Amino acid sequence: MSSDAARLAPRDAGKSAGKPSAWPRWLSSEHPFPWLFPASALMIVFGIYPLVYAITLSLYKKNAATRKMVFDMDHNWTKVFYDERVWNAMGNTFLYTGIALVFQLVLGMLIALLLDTDRKGYAFLRAMMTLPLVIPPAVTAMMFLFMLNGSFGVLSRGIIATGLLPPGFSILGTANTAMAGVLMAEIWQWTPFMVLIMLAGLRSLPKEPFEAAAIDGANAFQVFFKLTLPMMSKVIAIAVLIRGIDLFRAFDYVKVMTDSGPGTATETLTSYAGRIYFGNADFPYASTIALLTLIIVIIVSSLFMRIFKVKL
């Protein structure tokens, strides 16, 4: 009797296990849809829909008299190429991105080389490098706005004390130096990001080539330029790509510290689009400038990835 029960048990278990599920197959755990749906829904809601909406808005123009939007497919796209402020903002954006990238890359590599050691206390210093990254950019901008004040700013007083600037000089209030003041905040906050990426890359390098170079009597400069830099090229390229895209859409520092001034000295594409959107309520033209910024970022990023053979 017991042997018959044992013989029948697996057969019954197999039948129960083979029963079709009450749920459709595309909702089962074996199908990828339930796992991809949350991320896909967020991308559609916060990525694809705003993009489609911006493209649609750019095909309209705002009637100044009635304040209504009228369909005019090429009005904004023609206007944007004849707008001198767009070209000025584009030049400021490339300048801002280029200077910040150079400083962040060089400082990031130098600091990473200094922190690339297992000596006591350096782990704490590496952890401290993350602190500027957790501060909201608007807060950082406010902090540097006070520090660069011509009357009581600690940074301004320090620079004035060296004799480089006259007493009471306003760095952010002068067209020739306002961009440098905004860049100070940008470089201070995001250089640690470069440090962390460079440090991770340095820690992943194999030790054998460096040991062989030490045996051959290579000095520190030869090791860096002949071994470290070539082996870190892919890491550097990815870091530059990520930071370059982020810098090109910089808005917080410019808005808080100078509001694109004095005049248009620090006006970038995103700050100009923001001024048109919030100041003039010209949503179609602001959307066109935002799309132009996106197109430039895509073209420059694609060229960069092709030239440096970056694969994400």
Side-chain angles (χ1 to χ4, degrees):
M1 189 70 178
S2 60
S3 61
D4 293 339
R7 201 166 48 248
L8 292 172
R11 196 176 300 170
D12 295 339
K15 286 180 180 179
S16 61
K19 283 184 180 180
S21 173
W23 295 93
R25 184 180 177 276
W26 60 275
L27 284 177
S28 65
S29 60
E30 298 176 357
H31 200 276
F33 179 79
W35 307 100
L36 294 175
F37 177 75
S40 301
L42 289 174
M43 187 176 70
I44 291 170
V45 173
F46 296 105
I48 296 176
Y49 173 73
L51 177 61
V52 173
Y53 186 63
I55 294 172
T56 305
L57 274 179
S58 70
L59 302 179
Y60 287 79
K61 72 173 182 178
K62 183 181 177 182
N63 190 311
T66 62
R67 294 191 175 185
K68 292 182 179 180
M69 291 191 297
V70 182
F71 183 78
D72 192 340
M73 186 177 295
D74 60 345
H75 173 76
N76 291 314
W77 289 103
T78 304
K79 180 181 177 181
V80 78
F81 287 106
Y82 288 96
D83 190 345
E84 292 184 1
R85 286 187 66 173
V86 169
W87 292 103
N88 175 72
M90 191 183 299
N92 286 340
T93 303
F94 276 106
L95 180 67
Y96 183 92
T97 302
I99 294 175
L101 263 181
V102 170
F103 274 92
Q104 289 176 10
L105 179 60
V106 174
L107 291 174
M109 178 61 80
L110 290 175
I111 297 171
L113 289 169
L114 292 174
L115 295 178
D116 186 24
T117 178
D118 294 322
R119 284 185 287 180
K120 189 176 180 180
Y122 279 79
F124 174 74
L125 292 176
R126 288 193 291 268
M128 291 294 290
M129 291 301 300
T130 61
L131 289 181
L133 299 176
V134 302
I135 303 174
V139 175
T140 301
M142 283 296 298
M143 183 172 67
F144 274 84
L145 178 63
F146 285 113
M147 289 195 296
L148 291 172
N149 186 280
S151 302
F152 55 81
V154 63
L155 281 178
S156 289
R157 287 196 170 193
I159 298 172
I160 290 169
T162 61
L164 295 174
L165 296 174
F169 184 87
S170 177
I171 294 175
L172 297 176
T174 307
N176 293 332
T177 56
M179 182 68 79
V182 177
L183 283 166
M184 286 183 192
E186 174 76 53
I187 293 167
W188 177 86
Q189 180 155 34
W190 290 103
T191 295
F193 176 81
M194 283 291 198
V195 173
L196 295 177
I197 293 182
M198 297 302 150
L199 195 55
L202 290 171
R203 287 297 176 104
S204 67
L205 296 180
K207 295 182 179 180
E208 289 79 9
F210 297 94
E211 293 172 352
I215 294 172
D216 292 339
N219 58 42
F221 288 99
Q222 290 173 329
V223 170
F224 177 75
F225 287 106
K226 296 294 181 66
L227 287 177
T228 306
L229 209 55
M231 293 169 73
M232 285 279 292
S233 59
K234 296 297 182 185
V235 176
I236 293 172
I238 292 173
V240 169
L241 179 64
I242 294 171
R243 283 302 302 140
I245 293 173
D246 192 49
L247 282 163
F248 208 84
R249 58 183 185 84
F251 176 79
D252 307 67
Y253 305 101
V254 174
K255 179 64 179 176
V256 174
M257 296 178 71
T258 62
D259 196 18
S260 302
T264 59
T266 59
E267 188 170 69
T268 61
L269 284 171
T270 49
S271 66
Y272 183 37
R275 175 171 289 188
I276 293 172
Y277 190 94
F278 296 108
N280 303 341
D282 191 350
F283 309 132
Y285 191 49
S287 299
T288 306
I289 297 173
L291 287 171
L292 176 65
T293 306
L294 176 63
I295 292 169
I296 294 172
V297 168
I298 291 173
I299 293 173
V300 174
S301 300
S302 301
L303 289 173
F304 181 87
M305 293 174 67
R306 182 178 292 272
I307 293 171
F308 292 94
K309 299 179 181 178
V310 178
K311 293 182 180 181
L312 299 178

